[in-house]
Amino acid sequence: MTHGKLQWLRRATAALSLGVTLSLMAPPSLMAASVKKKPVAAQKAKVQAASKARVVAARAKRTAKAAVVQAKASASRPQSGKGRRAAVIAAKSAAVAGGGLAAASAVSASERKHEAASGADGLPKLSANAVFVMDQNSREVLVSKNDKAVMPIASLTKLMTGLLVADAKLSLDEEITITEDDLDIYKGTGSRLSVGTKLTRGEAMHLALMSSENRAAHALGRTYPGGIVNFVRLMNAKAAELGMRDTRYVEPTGLSVENRSSARDLALLVAAAYQRPLLREFSTSQGYSVESGRRVLQYHNSNRLTADPNWDIGLQKTGYISEAGRCMVMSAKLAGRQVIMVFLDAADKSSRIGDAQRVRRYVESVVSADAIERMAMRKG
């Protein structure tokens, strides 16, 4: 190596050593300055992103809750099945778009509440020509079908007969006698209570409400203070007092086709009758026996659901004449709710029982869906 090159190499090595030494001697703050500036900017950006995310999440939550409210309102309003499904789908889409998965679950619960029913409009398919179902306490209408149609009501009449006798506080131990005046002049039906049979007013009332005994019911009206004419007048006055504007009575048994009412009116009668413990007891009794001369007559409830342990029936009455079809009213506890059910003009006994079973399943599905919806709302 030449002398010139050696000198150049020595100078370069010295310069390099001096640079390393100076860098090692520099204060740490100066060394980190350029590095520190970059993490501060990144941290600031991260904070801003998190803040923006919280704002978006809050907005999504509000959107989701609004969607649930809209879905619930849409599902509860009377409308066609197609319209209800469209409203639920739209609300569910809004909930999902807003990021509310819990809200979407609540919308699904509202949807299932109606899909659980078999009808295209979300309600149970019922055979009776007129139906009215409502919550007895809140008066919320749960099911309605031709509920304002006025038609014959057959032995549902006897519920008003029992209501008047109960409210008059007449002696239930007073003995009354079946006479020829109590015979059926409308349909010519018979009875095991032959003319001359003696029974107490309480027994007559029991048989009229539990087994729909026509002669017993007529005897209750006939022996009422003022006689049968006054009794019928008071039946109509009581109907007006209860707000039963579509109701008219002409006799106390229901054998006349002129005894007419609507399903909605009869729900008011059931609500009033339920307040009388005696009517609840007599109408839901399983069986009763009375002495008629040397015979003991055994009677049974005309509504077989009262013997079903799966039902909790507080009051009931059945009825039938050919013009009225098979009729039934009940107040029963369904899924924790006291529910009034009115069925008019069903084809046969099995049809009206089937209608009651379908309404029960529907009400239970509604209550179940509401519970799921409330749970989803709380979690949301």
Side-chain angles (χ1 to χ4, degrees):
M1 180 180 293
T2 63
H3 179 72
K5 289 183 178 180
L6 183 59
Q7 287 293 102
W8 177 85
L9 180 60
R10 286 175 179 172
R11 286 195 297 269
T13 302
L16 179 61
S17 298
L18 179 62
V20 172
T21 301
L22 290 173
S23 66
L24 293 175
M25 293 174 62
S29 60
L30 292 177
M31 293 181 64
S34 60
V35 179
K36 186 177 181 181
K37 184 176 182 181
K38 185 174 180 180
V40 168
Q43 183 68 19
K44 183 177 182 181
K46 185 177 180 180
V47 171
Q48 290 175 342
S51 177
K52 184 176 181 180
R54 285 194 295 271
V55 172
V56 171
R59 185 182 297 116
K61 189 173 182 179
R62 289 195 298 271
T63 302
K65 286 185 177 180
V68 173
V69 173
Q70 179 183 356
K72 189 173 182 180
S74 298
S76 63
R77 285 194 295 267
Q79 53 182 313
S80 67
K82 186 180 293 184
R84 180 182 291 113
R85 285 193 294 274
V88 171
I89 290 171
K92 187 185 291 185
S93 298
V96 174
L101 296 181
S105 298
V107 175
S108 295
S110 180
E111 182 181 6
R112 286 193 298 273
K113 177 169 62 177
H114 294 283
E115 291 300 324
S118 59
D121 58 354
L123 298 174
K125 290 182 178 179
L126 304 173
S127 67
N129 284 325
V131 179
F132 190 71
V133 181
M134 75 174 185
D135 185 297
Q136 186 166 320
N137 297 317
S138 69
R139 300 300 173 98
E140 175 190 357
V141 177
L142 303 174
V143 180
S144 64
K145 173 185 176 183
N146 299 328
D147 57 282
K148 292 185 178 180
V150 179
M151 56 185 67
I153 58 173
S155 287
L156 301 185
T157 298
K158 294 183 177 72
L159 202 54
M160 177 62 82
T161 299
L163 180 61
L164 283 187
V165 174
D167 285 356
K169 300 188 184 307
L170 302 175
S171 172
L172 297 180
D173 296 325
E174 181 181 347
E175 189 176 75
I176 60 179
T177 303
I178 302 299
T179 71
E180 290 188 357
D181 291 335
D182 300 319
L183 302 184
D184 174 14
I185 62 173
Y186 299 99
K187 302 291 183 181
T189 57
S191 169
R192 288 190 289 165
L193 296 179
S194 58
V195 173
T197 298
K198 298 181 183 297
L199 65 169
T200 67
R201 179 174 285 107
E203 289 174 328
M205 194 170 172
H206 200 148
L207 298 183
L209 293 172
M210 183 189 76
S211 298
S212 216
E213 208 342 300
N214 290 312
R215 292 182 184 177
H218 193 276
L220 289 172
R222 178 177 54 79
T223 58
Y224 191 90
I228 196 73
V229 173
N230 185 52
F231 190 77
V232 172
R233 180 185 66 80
L234 292 175
M235 291 175 76
N236 287 294
K238 189 65 175 181
E241 177 187 327
L242 295 176
M244 301 170 66
R245 297 183 178 86
D246 298 322
T247 302
R248 176 173 179 257
Y249 297 104
V250 300
E251 50 86 28
T253 69
L255 288 168
S256 171
V257 71
E258 296 302 317
N259 282 3
R260 306 172 76 85
S261 187
S262 66
R264 186 176 287 264
D265 269 14
L266 289 169
L268 299 176
L269 175 58
V270 172
Y274 185 84
Q275 303 305 315
R276 280 65 173 180
L278 190 64
L279 303 189
R280 296 202 302 270
E281 177 189 347
F282 284 170
S283 71
T284 59
S285 173
Q286 288 300 295
Y288 193 69
S289 60
V290 296
E291 293 183 3
S292 178
R294 296 180 179 180
R295 298 182 301 160
V296 175
L297 305 177
Q298 297 287 342
Y299 287 85
H300 302 282
N301 202 300
S302 58
N303 184 347
R304 63 182 177 85
L305 287 179
T306 58
D308 189 335
N310 295 317
W311 281 81
D312 184 2
I313 300 174
L315 181 136
Q316 70 80 38
K317 186 70 195 76
T318 62
Y320 171 76
I321 56 174
S322 58
E323 296 87 348
R326 297 289 175 177
C327 305
M328 181 169 65
V329 297
M330 290 195 300
S331 173
K333 184 165 289 187
L334 306 179
R337 305 175 74 171
Q338 197 68 36
V339 176
I340 291 175
M341 293 177 276
V342 180
F343 305 99
L344 301 180
D345 194 20
D348 49 45
K349 290 182 179 180
S350 61
S351 294
R352 71 186 179 192
I353 294 296
D355 280 351
Q357 299 283 17
R358 283 183 283 274
V359 165
R360 176 181 176 172
R361 288 193 294 269
Y362 171 72
V363 172
E364 289 174 344
S365 72
V366 168
V367 172
S368 177
D370 281 342
I372 294 172
E373 185 173 309
R374 288 193 298 270
M375 184 180 299
M377 287 291 289
R378 286 196 296 269
K379 290 183 178 179

